[in-house]
Amino acid sequence: MTFDPPVTCPVCEEVLELDRGLEDHLMGKHTQREVVHYVVSQQDRTEPEALVR
């Protein structure tokens, strides 16, 4: 039997209960704006050259 470590929310860095999914947490605890802001900030960090044209 494999052990899955607890999931950490990438937006607020909260460690989720073992029976709680990330999708449920994001939907229940974060606004769309918070999630979008996180996604955009990650995109900006990983591909800065794509933004400069």
Side-chain angles (χ1 to χ4, degrees), residues 4-53:
D4 292 328
V7 175
T8 301
C9 174
V11 177
C12 67
E13 299 182 359
E14 178 181 334
V15 177
L16 307 181
E17 298 294 326
L18 293 176
D19 64 343
R20 184 113 191 257
L22 180 58
E23 183 177 356
D24 290 338
H25 171 80
L26 291 171
M27 296 285 289
K29 296 284 184 170
H30 299 289
T31 64
Q32 283 183 330
R33 184 176 295 275
E34 288 173 322
V35 175
V36 168
H37 184 272
Y38 173 78
V39 170
V40 169
S41 72
Q42 293 303 301
Q43 182 70 22
D44 288 348
R45 275 190 238 151
T46 59
E47 297 182 357
E49 69 279 354
L51 299 175
V52 178
R53 293 191 190 243

